[in-house]
Amino acid sequence: MTLPVLVLLPLLLVVVGVLLSEEDGRGDGRASDHVPCSEALAFGGAALPDGARPVGKCTLQGFQDTHYGASFRMPRTGRTGVQAWLAHTYPDAPAPETESCAGDDVDLCLDLGYARGLPDGVRAHAVEVRVVYEDDARTALVRFAAFTT
């Protein structure tokens, strides 16, 4: 009885070590991979806006569900600004909100699902967009998440 345990114990330790090394620090066991930002945005039916600059790496996290994340800076206003990008990307979506997301420390938010403005053919079940207007009054930091539920 002791022999099988001694043989299987090193294998178990290797498997646990691999799983722990793939975690991204959240402690929930989901692996996180870096992906092209175009892939992360496309999962939610979007594309990187003109003039946008990615912030950090775009990510894919998966366990039972799929979760893509992207952050980028873009113009705050004008025809290439945040509101114009959202209206072009999600034409059937309700207007982005400013009041309901105040507790999230953001200036503008948009939550979409199949029943709330998400276009047909998008692989994500939901999309969340959080926008923070930065100090220079010309730039917005956009955090984009697209995921299955």
Side-chain angles (χ1 to χ4, degrees):
M1 179 109 161
T2 307
L3 186 59
V5 170
L6 291 175
V7 171
L8 294 176
L9 185 61
L11 179 61
L12 179 63
L13 291 175
V14 168
V15 169
V16 169
V18 167
L19 290 175
L20 290 176
S21 70
E22 290 181 357
E23 284 188 18
D24 63 358
R26 288 185 319 269
D28 61 4
R30 291 190 295 176
S32 180
D33 294 316
H34 297 272
V35 296
C37 290
S38 58
E39 178 182 329
L41 290 161
F43 188 75
L48 196 63
D50 291 336
R53 300 179 324 271
V55 175
K57 305 271 186 196
C58 293
T59 59
L60 165 62
Q61 300 165 348
F63 180 61
Q64 292 178 334
D65 298 319
T66 301
H67 185 282
Y68 280 92
S71 295
F72 52 91
R73 285 191 170 85
M74 66 178 296
R76 180 175 171 173
T77 60
R79 59 180 203 51
T80 60
V82 173
Q83 295 267 7
W85 174 69
L86 288 171
H88 173 74
T89 303
Y90 302 111
D92 296 328
E97 300 175 18
T98 55
E99 298 299 320
S100 68
C101 54
D104 293 339
D105 235 2
V106 298
D107 297 298
L108 191 70
C109 61
L110 182 62
D111 295 322
L112 302 173
Y114 287 126
R116 192 162 196 260
L118 201 58
D120 291 336
V122 172
R123 293 180 15 224
H125 298 165
V127 169
E128 294 177 352
V129 180
R130 301 292 182 260
V131 180
V132 175
Y133 295 140
E134 297 189 317
D135 293 334
D136 67 4
R138 295 182 313 228
T139 307
L141 174 63
V142 178
R143 290 187 183 93
F144 178 91
F147 48 93
T148 58
T149 54

